[in-house]
Amino acid sequence: MVQPITKAIFPVAGLGTRFLPATKANPKEMLPIVDKPLIQYAVEEAISSGITELIFVTSSSKRAIEDHFDTNFELEYRLAQQGKSDLLDLVQKIVPKGVDCIYVRQPQALGLGHAVLCARQVVGDEPCAVLLADDLIDCSTPCLKQMLNVYHETQASVIAVEKIAPEDSDKYGIIAVDKSFKGQGYIHSIVEKPKMQDAPSNFAVVGRYLLSGKIFEHLSRLTPGRGGEIQLTDAIASLLKEEKAMGLIFDGTRFDCGSKLGYMQATITLGLRHPELGNDFRSYLKETVESF
Ligand code: G1P
């Protein structure tokens, strides 16, 4: 029987230097896209894919994330008193019943692989999901759900990928796959942020992983890789020597909200679709673009 995946790791300890000064005192994961913080999009994707344990790997400057997923007694009390039941419902549903939040500290910023390794005690040797909240993935079927479908078919680790421009190879983990790769296929190898001329393909890893429980063993044996950091990509490369992993081109759109342009693109797309604001926002955008 396929081992179910119920745990997801959210590495949220990073400094967010690309968004300074906005992220000087605020975690980058708490930046809103329209009216929801980035991290909540990733959490909702996980929950709607069947995840019930949310493991946040945080650092000292990320307290706002814990507060966001906790109850806020004063706010809830006042909303109830004012009869604002819609808003009360909205804040109370952020973490639905049956879903638990667990917080683990990453004491030093030693890289994504190290952050994932910090969750080992909580995950044990089970397979788990890893979601990077910087990548907001907009899909009709949640990206993680699409990946879980592949996991259930193949029982292999699954990594979400998308085609990128070759000159962007040095921003991503890049997978090597068969020339005929379309949609999904086994990964032969993976390399972190290669130069364009060294990239084994144009398929880049986006921030969604379903990983075998064995990943922790591989992570624990790593020495620092690219940028002097413990890289998750290197642990996957090592895992591939023992186990299979699938690359999946998900059906949907990824916004790189770790970059200012991607963040603005996500804001515009989700703003246009917003049930209350969409129409007014569309008219405003049209007028503004025409008058520029
Ligand atoms: C991380 C990973 C990289 C992956 C990317 C996806 O890089 O190390 O392999 O392609 O996330 O967003 P980062 O963006 O943290 O530099």
Side-chain angles (χ1 to χ4, degrees):
M1 206 185 80
V2 190
Q3 214 177 344
I5 298 187
T6 57
K7 297 179 180 178
I9 303 172
F10 299 86
V12 291
L15 285 176
T17 44
R18 284 196 280 174
F19 266 96
L20 282 169
T23 49
K24 185 173 172 233
N26 270 325
K28 63 174 173 168
E29 296 81 6
M30 290 302 293
L31 294 176
I33 301 290
V34 190
D35 49 11
K36 255 191 283 187
L38 264 175
I39 185 69
Q40 196 178 329
Y41 287 93
V43 159
E44 286 179 0
E45 179 187 328
I47 294 172
S48 58
S49 305
I51 297 293
T52 52
E53 274 179 69
L54 314 173
I55 303 154
F56 298 88
V57 182
T58 74
S59 64
S60 56
S61 56
K62 302 286 180 138
R63 300 274 286 272
I65 297 177
E66 293 173 48
D67 291 344
H68 184 71
F69 292 107
D70 199 355
T71 43
N72 179 335
F73 177 77
E74 187 183 349
L75 175 69
E76 291 174 33
Y77 176 77
R78 286 186 191 279
L79 290 175
Q81 263 198 335
Q82 292 163 1
K84 294 183 175 164
S85 53
D86 286 2
L87 289 178
L88 181 61
D89 197 43
L90 189 81
V91 294
Q92 286 180 335
K93 271 198 189 143
I94 292 177
V95 181
K97 286 206 169 55
V99 174
D100 292 317
C101 297
I102 298 151
Y103 298 90
V104 177
R105 284 282 183 107
Q106 184 184 17
Q108 278 174 289
L110 299 179
L112 176 60
H114 178 257
V116 172
L117 186 58
C118 288
R120 184 180 198 171
Q121 294 297 331
V122 185
V123 179
D125 54 8
E126 290 177 31
C128 63
V130 176
L131 293 94
L132 308 185
D134 277 2
D135 284 327
L136 193 161
I137 306 194
D138 183 36
C139 304
S140 45
T141 303
C143 178
L144 200 68
K145 178 93 183 113
Q146 297 178 36
M147 296 166 72
L148 279 158
N149 292 341
V150 176
Y151 168 75
H152 285 287
E153 272 166 34
T154 60
Q155 306 186 26
S157 296
V158 184
I159 294 165
V161 297
E162 72 175 5
K163 200 164 190 174
I164 51 144
E167 59 273 24
D168 287 335
S169 303
D170 62 356
K171 296 185 187 143
Y172 299 98
I174 306 287
I175 58 167
V177 272
D178 284 343
K179 283 233 165 351
S180 59
F181 178 77
K182 266 190 220 127
Q184 68 184 63
Y186 285 104
I187 299 175
H188 303 314
S189 62
I190 185 167
V191 55
E192 180 70 2
K193 301 185 177 138
K195 289 193 192 117
M196 176 167 78
Q197 59 272 27
D198 301 329
S201 78
N202 292 341
F203 292 104
V205 174
V206 302
R208 299 291 182 278
Y209 308 80
L210 287 179
L211 297 169
S212 142
K214 284 265 182 313
I215 196 70
F216 295 110
E217 230 172 270
H218 292 270
L219 278 168
S220 69
R221 290 202 295 257
L222 285 183
T223 50
R226 172 109 196 168
E229 296 188 337
I230 303 289
Q231 296 290 353
L232 182 58
T233 300
D234 294 345
I236 297 168
S238 169
L239 179 74
L240 280 170
K241 292 181 187 141
E242 286 174 14
E243 289 188 4
K244 290 187 184 302
M246 298 287 290
L248 171 71
I249 304 179
F250 58 92
D251 185 14
T253 307
R254 162 197 176 250
F255 295 99
D256 174 12
C257 294
S259 83
K260 288 172 197 166
L261 183 62
Y263 180 81
M264 286 157 71
Q265 288 166 338
T267 302
I268 288 179
T269 304
L270 273 64
L272 286 170
R273 208 190 294 144
H274 194 279
E276 282 159 37
L277 309 171
N279 288 339
D280 290 347
F281 186 48
R282 185 172 303 110
S283 316
Y284 171 76
L285 261 189
K286 248 180 124 185
E287 280 165 31
T288 310
V289 169
E290 277 160 15
S291 67
F292 253 68

